Amino acid sequence: MKVTLFIPCFIDLCHPNVGMSIVQILEQLGHTIDYPEELTCCGQPAFNSGCWDEARDVAVKVVERLQDAEVIVIASGSCGAMLKVFYPELFQKTGCEQAAKSVANKTFEFSDFLVTKLGVTDLGARFPARVTFHDGCHGLRELDLKQQPRTLLSHVRDLELLEMSEAETCCGFGGTFSTKFPMISSAMGDGKCASAQETGAEYIVSNDSSCLMHLQGLLDRQGKPLKTIHLAEVLTSS
Amino acid sequence: MTTPVHQFHTDANRAAQDLQQRAQIQSALSSYETACEARKSAFRDWESARQTAAEIKWDAVNHLDQHLREFADKLESRGTQVHWASNEQQARDIILEIIRSNNAHSIIKSKVMTGEEIHINEALEKAAFDVVESDLGEFIVQLRREAPYHFVFPAMHLKRGEISELFNRELGTALTEDPEELTMIARRVLRDKYITADVGISGANFAIAETGMISITENEGNARLTCALPKVHIALLGIEKVLPRLRDLALFLPMLATAGAGQALTCYNSLYGGPRQPDECDGPEEFHVVLLDNNRTQLLADKQQRDALHCIRCGACLNVCPIYRSIGGHTYGTTYQGPIGSVITPHLRGLQDWKHLSSASSLCGACTQVCPVKIDLHHHLLHNRRNAVIDKPVWREKLQFAIFRSVMNRPKLYRFCVRIGRLMQPLHRLVDGTRLDPARGWTQTRKLPRIAPQTFKDFWRNRK
Ligand code: SF4
């Protein structure tokens, strides 16, 4: 299958390993990768701030470039939700409505693509550590990604998954919210980290790098030993 | 004068760091959470119950004019006086007029959030009437001269000791940590009030169009006394409270109890359909129903967000909201706190003054997931943000996103910015987290992620 990969800006800049891991996994499974280098952002920051015109100007490039793709894989539940759930609304009653819907229909978040679309659950990975899983809200509630990442983790050798009580509670990132209301955002993040820590896990794993970026930022500032890692990186460990 | 947005920022910053307050909310809600989950499983299928409830409310709200007419006609046919109030002022005037024309002095109230909305207590006190809240939580916050902290659990933020001290100070009672005793203290004070009150003011949980009745659910029995003992009963309710049929209560009463308090059914459920009839021996001589619009019709006109009028004020969205749980109820500065408050307050009280509440959300969607009547709460927060920008763009934000757009749409410019960003990183260390730091919004509490030596785009290009 020819898989078109969408790498969001924060993964490109700060967590390129996540993208590389996804490339590695998909290629090992025998797929070819089409990576549109000119695409950087789905437009979500503007969209979430109410600036839908600016969001549309960015998103339209994405729609135009991706509408003919066979299948689109995106490395973040949050940006995935933007393409799958919000593009059709953003382009409602515009010339791009149909194209946006077709992009939405063939977009998969990375773990969903592996488990639901390909039926792949075991990638032969080994990650000897205690981990806890953080459900990113967009992935969980907009895309219904509760089971897929856990299915993948359950096949990783030597990995112990310890569920935290607050797994489904928002970590407080929320895109621009995190800098507009930093104290609320951080208070929420602290709650999340505390819940993760209670499990005795060494790592917080998630399928959303944006949440992890926020949590890692808090942990580093507070000098806590807990680490964060993206699911794709766990799946390429051996 | 401080503006609502400024007040919100100040209070939210303080509250978010107040670990004690957060712990109090946590502990106040912990038994609710377990009970609520257990109760939901008592429904054959909670999800389809939600769907049915949403459909019934959809009908109620989309045919509001017919249902309201039926409701009012039925009430009037049994001698109830129905009043229509377009706004706060009218509602206050109507209520004051009823009270004055009855030569009343003392007023007892059961819980009525629409009363908070129209600031009825202030108006009554200003007009020198004696007014007392009979719901325990409301009684407590009234003694403290503060607004309810939560529209279902008004005194949720207070520990037993604080309530005891308050009673000691205000009522001269002995200090006690025994919840029974605290309740008894309030009851003793209130008992006299029920007997001497000339007017009882209540709200309503539902307005049944088919039979012309209001339905009130409560756990303390205070609303029954408030409605039945005084000579005059005034019920103040928002026009959206309508349910088309009596049998709808069979779903809505257990649903409200479950979502609101984790109960199978609230302890007391009463229906009031008119004043004392000629063949009846008790009940009020006069029954007034005041139907409040106060910009609800504006929300009704908004096709996209009309479903916010489905709300049955169960409070479930507050209880699950991580923002509410981090900043507490008073920070909102609104009658209705939490997600539903953030959605409707801009409609009820002005978009530009209250849009910040819609921005103060991570859009996690936990509220939408629990709402028993399936209001699309977190998406409405997005819609409020969009509408606020269309209505009155903020130039700073516009500029920011114009830059964002050009950078994201121009690969060369993006690459250039990445290069600049890399060069700036070592310099940033000098100001990291300080007031001089342009990224302080992030770095105040978090370490800034570093730009990788090789971005994904670099990796891809090298590979090719
Ligand atoms: S919006 Fe829904 S969850 Fe929130 S109070 Fe209203 S009915 Fe309850």
Side-chain angles (χ1 to χ4, degrees), chain A residues 9-17 20, chain B residues 411-430 448-462:
Chain A
C9 40
F10 52 88
I11 293 187
D12 173 45
L13 289 178
C14 307
H15 303 280
N17 289 343
M20 295 178 212
Chain B
K412 274 197 190 133
L413 184 56
Y414 176 79
R415 267 204 301 276
F416 176 72
C417 288
V418 174
R419 227 171 289 144
I420 297 282
R422 272 214 192 92
L423 288 175
M424 299 300 280
Q425 275 188 150
L427 292 176
H428 178 255
R429 260 186 230 133
L430 303 172
L448 201 64
R450 305 190 61 73
I451 300 177
Q454 185 193 36
T455 66
F456 184 80
K457 288 184 200 290
D458 296 335
F459 154 78
W460 191 259
R461 218 165 300 125
N462 292 342

Side-chain angles (χ1 to χ4, degrees), chain B residues 151 311-318 340 367 370-373 375 377:
Chain B
F151 60 71
C311 178
I312 57 172
R313 303 280 187 266
C314 69
C317 58
L318 281 65
I340 184 66
C367 47
V370 296
C371 176
V373 286
I375 301 172
L377 289 158

Side-chain angles (χ1 to χ4, degrees), chain B residues 275-288:
Chain B
R276 184 188 306 179
Q277 302 294 299
D279 57 342
E280 289 174 350
C281 60
D282 54 12
E285 287 164 26
E286 281 183 25
F287 181 31
H288 298 264

Side-chain angles (χ1 to χ4, degrees), chain B residues 95 98-109 124 128-132 190-202 225-234 276 283-288:
Chain B
I95 292 172
I98 300 169
I99 294 171
R100 287 201 181 103
S101 67
N102 276 285
N103 283 325
H105 298 289
S106 94
I107 295 140
I108 189 140
K109 281 176 71 204
L124 291 170
F129 292 112
D130 178 26
V131 48
V132 58
L190 290 168
R191 193 162 300 150
D192 289 340
K193 301 280 180 185
Y194 289 122
I195 298 167
T196 52
D198 310 299
V199 174
I201 300 182
S202 77
L225 297 172
T226 302
C227 299
L229 291 183
K231 211 166 63 148
V232 180
H233 172 199
I234 304 172
R276 184 188 306 179
E285 287 164 26
E286 281 183 25
F287 181 31
H288 298 264

Side-chain angles (χ1 to χ4, degrees), chain B residues 61-350:
Chain B
V61 165
N62 281 275
H63 302 107
L64 195 57
D65 51 339
Q66 294 162 28
H67 293 309
L68 282 175
R69 218 172 301 132
E70 190 184 2
F71 174 66
D73 288 349
K74 289 269 161 60
L75 275 170
E76 281 167 346
S77 71
R78 278 190 306 272
T80 303
Q81 296 178 52
V82 178
H83 311 261
W84 303 83
S86 298
N87 53 38
E88 286 181 25
Q89 185 63 48
Q90 277 185 18
R92 284 194 295 263
D93 291 347
I94 291 167
I95 292 172
L96 282 168
E97 178 52 35
I98 300 169
I99 294 171
R100 287 201 181 103
S101 67
N102 276 285
N103 283 325
H105 298 289
S106 94
I107 295 140
I108 189 140
K109 281 176 71 204
S110 64
K111 199 152 171 287
V112 43
M113 289 315 296
T114 34
E116 302 288 334
E117 190 182 325
I118 68 166
H119 307 288
I120 189 66
N121 284 9
E122 289 88 325
L124 291 170
E125 278 160 13
K126 217 172 117 204
F129 292 112
D130 178 26
V131 48
V132 58
E133 297 285 351
S134 64
D135 171 270
L136 181 60
E138 292 281 348
F139 179 72
I140 293 167
V141 292
Q142 187 188 24
L143 282 182
R144 284 172 62 94
R145 289 171 196 85
E146 66 184 16
Y149 190 79
H150 181 297
F151 60 71
V152 176
F153 312 121
M156 191 182 90
H157 55 309
L158 300 172
K159 293 198 193 63
R160 247 173 250 153
E162 291 171 282
I163 297 168
S164 169
E165 275 165 31
L166 174 76
F167 284 178
N168 173 266
R169 201 167 55 237
E170 299 288 329
L171 308 170
T173 53
L175 292 172
T176 170
E177 293 264 326
D178 179 12
E180 297 274 326
E181 180 52 26
L182 288 170
T183 314
M184 286 320 293
I185 294 173
R187 286 225 173 123
R188 277 196 292 273
V189 175
L190 290 168
R191 193 162 300 150
D192 289 340
K193 301 280 180 185
Y194 289 122
I195 298 167
T196 52
D198 310 299
V199 174
I201 300 182
S202 77
N205 296 95
F206 303 104
I208 311 299
E210 179 185 41
T211 54
M213 291 170 174
I214 61 164
S215 157
I216 298 182
T217 80
E218 48 150 350
N219 277 316
E220 296 165 20
N222 63 303
R224 288 191 163 181
L225 297 172
T226 302
C227 299
L229 291 183
K231 211 166 63 148
V232 180
H233 172 199
I234 304 172
L236 172 67
L237 50 140
I239 50 172
E240 82 285 9
K241 290 283 164 190
V242 164
L243 283 179
R245 292 159 304 255
L246 188 63
R247 67 165 184 272
D248 296 333
L249 288 180
L251 171 61
F252 279 89
L253 291 180
M255 179 168 254
L256 176 58
T258 298
Q263 289 174 287
L265 210 53
T266 315
C267 295
Y268 302 95
N269 294 283
S270 317
L271 285 161
Y272 301 92
R276 184 188 306 179
Q277 302 294 299
D279 57 342
E280 289 174 350
C281 60
D282 54 12
E285 287 164 26
E286 281 183 25
F287 181 31
H288 298 264
V289 168
V290 183
L291 288 161
L292 179 69
D293 175 354
N294 210 22
N295 289 331
R296 284 167 175 76
T297 40
Q298 199 174 305
L299 186 51
L300 184 65
D302 185 333
K303 259 198 217 149
Q304 199 167 30
Q305 297 197 41
R306 185 179 292 163
D307 70 345
L309 291 171
H310 292 183
C311 178
I312 57 172
R313 303 280 187 266
C314 69
C317 58
L318 281 65
N319 303 341
V320 76
C321 176
I323 314 285
Y324 180 88
R325 295 174 75 116
S326 299
I327 64 174
H330 286 151
T331 305
Y332 288 82
T334 57
T335 309
Y336 307 106
Q337 311 82 9
I340 184 66
S342 303
V343 168
I344 63 174
T345 307
H347 292 268
L348 303 182
R349 294 172 69 180

Side-chain angles (χ1 to χ4, degrees), chain A residues 5 10 28 51-52 54 68 70 72 76 98 101 103 113 126 128-129 145 166 173 178-179 206 212 219 236:
Chain A
L5 199 58
F10 52 88
Q28 263 166 17
C51 298
W52 287 26
E54 289 78 357
D68 298 321
E70 187 181 343
I72 302 151
S76 145
Q98 277 318 314
K101 278 189 189 151
V103 166
F113 180 71
R126 184 175 165 273
L145 303 177
E166 304 282 330
F173 174 63
S178 62
T179 54
S206 180
L212 295 181
L219 291 166
T236 45

Side-chain angles (χ1 to χ4, degrees), chain A residues 5 7 9 12-14 16 19-20 23 27 33 35 37-41 43 45-52 54 57-58 61 86 89 137-138 141-142 166 169-170 173-174 176-188 190-191 213-214 217-218 220-221, chain B residues 8-9 12-13 16-17 22 26 304 322-323 326-327 356 359-366 369 378-379 382-383 385-386 389 397-398 401-402 404-405 408-409 411 414 418 432-433 441-447 449-452 454-457 459-461 463-464:
Chain A
L5 199 58
I7 298 291
C9 40
D12 173 45
L13 289 178
C14 307
M20 295 178 212
V23 170
E27 286 185 339
I33 307 279
Y35 171 60
E37 264 180 82
E38 68 275 29
L39 300 183
T40 306
C41 179
F47 180 76
N48 280 357
S49 300
C51 298
W52 287 26
E54 289 78 357
D57 291 343
V58 173
K61 300 264 192 234
F86 298 113
E89 182 174 359
C137 298
H138 268 129
R141 299 198 182 83
E142 307 286 356
E166 304 282 330
T169 308
C170 179
F173 174 63
T176 50
F177 166 76
S178 62
T179 54
K180 278 186 188 159
F181 298 92
M183 299 321 278
I184 311 180
S185 165
S186 302
M188 288 159 71
D190 287 343
M213 195 165 72
H214 158 72
L218 282 169
D220 285 348
R221 199 49 113 212
Chain B
F8 180 83
H9 273 280
N13 279 350
Q17 296 172 73
R22 266 158 69 195
Q26 197 87 24
Q304 199 167 30
I323 314 285
S326 299
I327 64 174
H356 58 278
S359 298
S361 164
S362 60
L363 303 173
C364 77
Q369 199 180 10
H378 71 298
H379 291 156
L382 262 173
H383 298 141
R385 296 182 190 184
R386 175 204 58 196
V389 170
E397 210 161 50
K398 275 278 174 196
F401 285 111
F404 160 82
R405 170 178 52 195
M408 292 309 172
N409 278 353
Y414 176 79
V418 174
D432 190 359
W442 182 273
T443 54
Q444 206 177 345
T445 54
R446 287 158 292 211
K447 202 172 149 210
R450 305 190 61 73
I451 300 177
Q454 185 193 36
T455 66
F456 184 80
K457 288 184 200 290
F459 154 78
W460 191 259
R461 218 165 300 125
R463 213 172 88 131
K464 275 201 302 195

Side-chain angles (χ1 to χ4, degrees), chain A residues 197-230:
Chain A
Q197 227 161 359
E198 262 170 34
T199 64
E202 300 152 80
Y203 289 90
I204 305 177
V205 180
S206 180
N207 47 350
D208 228 318
S209 292
S210 50
C211 305
L212 295 181
M213 195 165 72
H214 158 72
L215 293 174
Q216 190 67 64
L218 282 169
L219 291 166
D220 285 348
R221 199 49 113 212
Q222 296 168 9
K224 295 206 174 120
L226 198 59
K227 293 180 283 282
T228 61
I229 186 167
H230 190 279

